[in-house]
């Protein structure tokens, strides 16, 4: 497998409950390296721009409101097959469907407040990383 970068966001429900370290331990235990990281507070407009692909979906406004409700940790994960590995570690979007031991099975409060976001494809990862980070901020 090729070494990849993927975007990871630890969402407001998880940062509020001080789960950042536990979540990052799961990524690192799976062989992913955190090569960029920062804690930020998104505005609703910034969340809206980031999630614009979902603008026509019924949950869009609620998602943007939630993502602006508290601090998030945005980070770049690196590793062999990082995109698929991150998605495996996160688990299914619906925590009821997530495998035991995954982040969403252990920490999610609901489908909407599911603790983490991860890129779903190489092109998406490049776009999402560029939204939050300059190339100078990604160091390994």
């Amino acid at each position: 497998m090729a070494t990849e970068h993927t975007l990871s966001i630890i969402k407001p429900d998880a940062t509020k409950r001080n789960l950042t370290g536990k979540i990052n331990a799961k990524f690192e235990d799976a062989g992913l390296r955190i090569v960029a990281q920062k804690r930020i507070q998104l505005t609703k407009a910034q969340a809206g721009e980031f999630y614009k692909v979902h603008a026509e979906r019924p949950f869009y406004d609620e998602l943007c409101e939630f993502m602006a409700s508290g601090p998030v940790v945005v980070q770049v994960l690196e590793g062999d097959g990082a995109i698929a590995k991150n998605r495996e570690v996160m688990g299914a979007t619906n925590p009821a469907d997530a495998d035991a031991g995954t982040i969403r099975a252990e920490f999610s409060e609901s489908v909407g407040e599911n603790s983490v976001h991860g890129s779903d494809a190489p092109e998406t990862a490049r776009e999402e990383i560029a939204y939050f980070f300059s190339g100078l901020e990604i160091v390994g």
Side-chain angles (χ1 to χ4, degrees):
M1 282 195 160
T3 299
E4 296 177 323
H5 286 147
T6 189
L7 183 79
S8 166
I9 302 176
I10 301 175
K11 295 180 179 181
D13 62 301
T15 62
K16 177 175 61 177
R17 293 178 289 140
N18 291 321
L19 296 173
T20 301
K22 290 178 182 177
I23 289 170
N24 282 338
K26 287 190 170 288
F27 292 136
E28 292 177 335
D29 289 348
L32 295 167
R33 294 180 61 222
I34 300 166
V35 295
Q37 182 182 71
K38 54 189 164 187
R39 184 180 180 99
I40 60 173
Q41 175 76 51
L42 293 171
T43 65
K44 189 173 178 187
Q46 289 167 328
E49 179 62 24
F50 181 77
Y51 284 109
K52 68 184 174 191
V53 67
H54 298 303
E56 300 302 317
R57 294 193 139 143
F59 61 81
Y60 175 73
D61 284 334
E62 185 179 342
L63 172 62
C64 295
E65 193 73 39
F66 167 63
M67 290 300 289
S69 70
V72 297
V73 175
V74 293
Q75 52 196 10
V76 178
L77 305 177
E78 177 183 81
D80 289 341
I83 296 166
K85 177 60 70 177
N86 179 36
R87 296 188 71 74
E88 178 184 318
V89 173
M90 288 190 309
T93 301
N94 183 342
D97 299 332
D99 291 339
T102 62
I103 292 167
R104 290 178 172 150
E106 288 189 26
F107 304 126
S108 293
E109 297 185 312
S110 67
V111 174
E113 294 187 6
N114 61 14
S115 300
V116 286
H117 165 91
S119 303
D120 62 2
E123 183 174 303
T124 309
R126 283 189 294 279
E127 292 171 7
E128 291 182 344
I129 289 167
Y131 188 81
F132 292 108
F133 296 95
S134 76
L136 293 174
E137 295 175 295
I138 301 170
V139 296

